[in-house]
Amino acid sequence: MQALALSAQRSLIQAINRTLFVTCLPRNQIPSSFYFLCAQTPGNDSQETLESKKEEPSCLSKRIERLQRGEPVGSAFQGWMGQGFPVHRGDIFHAINRLRKLQLNKRALEVMEWVIREKPYRPKELDYSYMLEFTIKLHGILRGEKLFCCVPPEFQNDLLYNNLVIACLDKGVIKLSLEYMKKMRELGHPISYLVFNRLIILHSSPGRRKTIPKILTQMKADKVTPHVSTYHILMKIEANEHNIEGLFKVFSEMKRVNVEPNEISYCILATAHAVARLYTVAETYVENVEKYMTGKNWSTLDVLIILYGYLGKRKELERTWGIVQKLPHVRPKSYMLAIEAFGRIGQISRAEELWLEMKSIKELKSTDQFNSMISVYCKSGFIDKASVLFKEIEMNGCKPNAITYRHLALGCLKAGLEEEGLKTLMLGENMTTSKRIRNSTPWLETTLSIIEIFAEKGDVGNAEKLFAELNVAKYTRYTFVYNTLIKAYVKARVYDPNFLRRIILGGARPDAETYSLLKLAELSQP
């Protein structure tokens, strides 16, 4: 029982970790999915083939996943037991993890209701914690609280309380969660670090970040040792704020308290330094990613693809992509990242090969798939090729989005089509774009590339307009972003005596290029 509980917590840790570095790539959500024992989800084929009949007895979760909508979950259990297979706790643990990954919460709740009702084995705290989790997800906290009161007293322990608090936090109900944590202290139940992880995530927005030190202080007061995933969350917050110094401070603290960094730690560090154009440092951290890498984690491989694109290492990029291709299932996202990575290092023909491969193997279902190749063409100024793909988007039932138009605007400007570029830029600005997208690295880098073109033309007005976007996302903490804007002033022969103060107040550190550009701007004014 204890082993199963620990396994459940370990799975949750891994799920949180997987979301921390893939975007820089963005994400600010924490999925409730775990790592799972089954790698693929079978198709919904109503007729059983001989092959599927052979597979079914070996995996109860597959039978449950293949149930048609509305078909009772009991039929899967009856078929399983009818062939002489007992229902073990491990079978349920496996099935629940699979259903959680597939976000089939209703089916997962039905499974637990059947287990509690039919009792194929004696239900314990882990079973009730599953029941509680999915009840709150589907029916709300009030129903979950009522269920909690009905759980046998011997199972109303720290595991159940921790899961209740986490479920409340997942619903964003912080005040009630804090009340339950207070009750846990009164009852002498230890609070899991997973609870504090959730609290930190919920307070990671700029307006709430001042609360995080208080959460860490309370964590220490409750004698809860921060887990490596706790530091990953803190590191990712700093990375998303483009605060390299803050990121390194968290990493140093992690090492000071003897929390061993892993591949995820170095993925966050390497990506943040690559985005900051500190490529030498990034390369060192990439070596550590390779060193600490365990198995063939697709998330880590995706990050390596991104990093080798930044570092211009074609050989290593090809090697990593070769490993990805040998995985049981290659996701469209991996194809997209590889296409963009090869495009970044100037291997346009290789990017086209992967695009055609993805097109033939994977169904083109999303605009993002088209955007990956459009971005490659536009960064290289091949607007004609990008336009062909743009026309294909709607033919495939998709719609161009703000990202599409921003890439196309860059492509037009690179090709010297200034009027068309400005019109395309306005088209994208009129579309609703989420904060997550506007803060994502690909969006920010594309925007900076457009500013560089405006800077070359001395177009201070348009450069400042787009610079304001980067400032909101705190991308302007990097000195090279300010230097790009100063070039527009130099080209336009405009001097602003307050520019240096503006840079410092903006959180960037002037470098030798900054001072040289400012001096040039002062001397070049008419």
Side-chain angles (χ1 to χ4, degrees), residues 34 56 200 203 217 231 246 275 326 391 458 461 463 487 490 514 516:
F34 290 0
E56 283 184 345
I200 293 170
H203 291 84
T217 300
Y231 288 105
V275 170
K326 292 177 182 178
K391 293 175 183 177
K487 290 174 185 177
V490 171
T514 308
S516 297

Side-chain angles (χ1 to χ4, degrees), residues 107-175:
R107 185 66 79 185
L109 180 58
E110 290 172 356
V111 169
M112 294 317 304
E113 288 175 339
W114 184 92
V115 169
I116 300 299
R117 183 177 63 251
E118 301 297 333
K119 294 181 174 57
Y121 52 82
R122 184 171 179 265
K124 293 188 178 181
E125 58 264 31
L126 185 61
D127 303 287
Y128 287 110
S129 70
Y130 284 153
M131 184 85 163
L132 180 67
E133 172 191 344
F134 293 108
T135 297
I136 293 177
K137 282 182 177 178
L138 288 168
H139 302 298
I141 295 173
L142 186 60
R143 182 81 71 87
E145 289 178 315
K146 291 180 180 178
L147 173 63
F148 187 91
C149 295
C150 297
V151 173
E154 65 267 28
F155 299 133
Q156 292 184 11
N157 55 18
D158 57 303
L159 175 62
L160 209 64
Y161 267 103
N162 276 302
N163 281 3
L164 175 61
V165 173
I166 288 173
C168 291
L169 289 173
D170 284 342
K171 290 286 186 179
V173 186
I174 298 176
K175 186 176 180 180

